[in-house]
Amino acid sequence: MLHILYGEDNYSLRGGLASLKAGLGPPDALVTNTSVLDGSGATAQQLMEVCETAPFLGSHRLVVVEGLLGRFEERAGGPAPRGTKRRRGGPGQEAAEWAPFAEYLPRVQPTTVVVLVDGRLTWRNALLRALSGHAQVQEFLPMNPAALARWIEAQAVERGGRMTPEAVRLLAELVGPDLWQLSQEIEKLVVFAQGRPVQEADVRALASSAREATIFSLVDAVVEGRTSQALRILDRFIREGAAPSYVLTMLARQTRLVLLSQDLLAQGLSPLKMGPRLGLTADFAVR
């Protein structure tokens, strides 16, 4: 069985992968029957050989391949996707070299579960099109504002707390759709509130970490051309006492990191290895 999990919402994607794992038997048995491959350099033959290995003292074998599909994105004039170098002949020709894998999938052992994990993809992706007919495909898109607000409320309840609508709205505006960062902020807010509903003032009281998140949200909005949202975040940021020089410095820093990241991707460096080169230790920041 082949599963394809991809999209910009990495938090929900990892949750989907965890759900898949939970359905494959006891965790201790699955640990010894799991292979995680770096798809940036894998070949079809290597993947087929891994899939042929039978499970040992367990009901299933899990093969997770990270970043394979990103090699086949058609991005005219851009850097090689997902930290890989472009190969001679382009993504279309390389996808044709994976035709044997697509033909092999119906014959894979029923005890073997293959999961291809990737970030943002398009349906111009030749390998995604070739494999989708043999796979269960899930795309994880960023939440719209209404869905994001409901998610924040539900996460607070799951942690034994509650948040007022004003607190939910402010937190969503400060952090944006980064569910990893939101999850950390909600955890801190619920603990901080000590059983009472989290108020807007509580979100402002923890602005030290939220302010850094605001910079990320502001830069995202600027780079993606969401002018009205960028101005709204900037206005709130300034009204809460941030010095304009600090805002400019942080914008310059984040823009520099974006440009350096593009250069490292073009050089063929895997996103997993980019953190130390960029001086970043937090995974969410690298993503």
Side-chain angles (χ1 to χ4, degrees), residues 72-125:
F72 304 89
E73 280 293 281
E74 296 281 359
R75 293 193 178 109
R82 297 292 297 178
T84 62
K85 295 181 180 179
R86 290 198 181 277
R87 298 161 191 255
R88 186 171 298 175
Q93 180 175 326
E94 190 180 359
E97 298 172 2
W98 279 77
F101 179 67
E103 296 168 358
Y104 162 78
L105 282 173
R107 306 192 305 273
V108 71
Q109 300 179 53
T111 55
T112 297
V113 177
V114 183
V115 186
L116 304 186
V117 176
D118 228 300
R120 181 180 179 181
L121 301 173
T122 67
W123 279 101
R124 295 191 302 273
N125 189 298

Side-chain angles (χ1 to χ4, degrees), residues 3-256:
H3 295 264
I4 297 177
L5 310 180
Y6 74 97
E8 297 175 74
D9 182 359
N10 184 269
Y11 184 96
S12 298
L13 186 154
R14 295 296 164 180
L17 179 59
S19 296
L20 275 176
K21 291 180 177 180
L24 298 180
D28 53 346
L30 190 61
V31 167
T32 59
N33 285 293
T34 297
S35 296
V36 180
L37 306 179
D38 182 356
S40 63
T43 66
Q45 184 60 38
Q46 289 171 342
L47 185 51
M48 287 188 286
E49 289 174 359
V50 172
C51 290
E52 283 298 303
T53 304
F56 177 72
L57 297 179
S59 60
H60 289 84
R61 177 164 177 74
L62 176 65
V63 181
V64 180
V65 187
E66 302 265 2
L68 171 62
L69 292 165
R71 287 163 48 179
F72 304 89
E73 280 293 281
E74 296 281 359
R75 293 193 178 109
R82 297 292 297 178
T84 62
K85 295 181 180 179
R86 290 198 181 277
R87 298 161 191 255
R88 186 171 298 175
Q93 180 175 326
E94 190 180 359
E97 298 172 2
W98 279 77
F101 179 67
E103 296 168 358
Y104 162 78
L105 282 173
R107 306 192 305 273
V108 71
Q109 300 179 53
T111 55
T112 297
V113 177
V114 183
V115 186
L116 304 186
V117 176
D118 228 300
R120 181 180 179 181
L121 301 173
T122 67
W123 279 101
R124 295 191 302 273
N125 189 298
L127 189 60
L128 177 60
R129 294 199 309 269
L131 297 181
S132 60
H134 306 282
Q136 292 187 11
V137 182
Q138 290 180 271
E139 182 180 9
F140 296 87
L141 296 170
M143 294 182 183
N144 61 44
L148 188 63
R150 291 193 297 270
W151 186 88
I152 292 172
E153 292 173 348
Q155 289 294 308
V157 171
E158 187 175 304
R159 289 164 170 78
R162 287 182 298 140
M163 295 183 66
T164 66
E166 295 77 15
V168 169
R169 190 179 306 114
L170 177 59
L171 184 63
E173 187 173 298
L174 285 175
V175 181
D178 186 336
L179 301 190
W180 291 105
Q181 181 67 14
L182 277 172
S183 178
Q184 296 175 28
E185 296 296 334
I186 293 167
E187 182 74 28
K188 288 187 290 187
L189 286 164
V190 169
V191 172
F192 181 77
Q194 297 183 343
R196 60 176 174 77
V198 174
Q199 306 290 326
E200 185 176 4
D202 298 323
V203 179
R204 296 183 187 280
L206 297 184
S208 57
S209 57
R211 178 165 292 176
E212 183 72 9
T214 303
I215 282 293
F216 286 123
S217 301
L218 177 59
V219 173
D220 287 345
V222 170
V223 172
E224 295 170 12
R226 292 182 275 114
T227 307
S228 59
Q229 183 179 5
L231 289 172
R232 188 166 59 251
I233 296 173
L234 178 61
D235 178 65
R236 182 183 293 277
F237 207 40
I238 296 298
R239 284 192 288 108
E240 291 179 354
S245 59
Y246 171 75
V247 176
L248 287 173
T249 298
M250 292 301 293
L251 277 170
R253 173 182 179 272
Q254 294 302 322
T255 304
R256 175 177 175 273

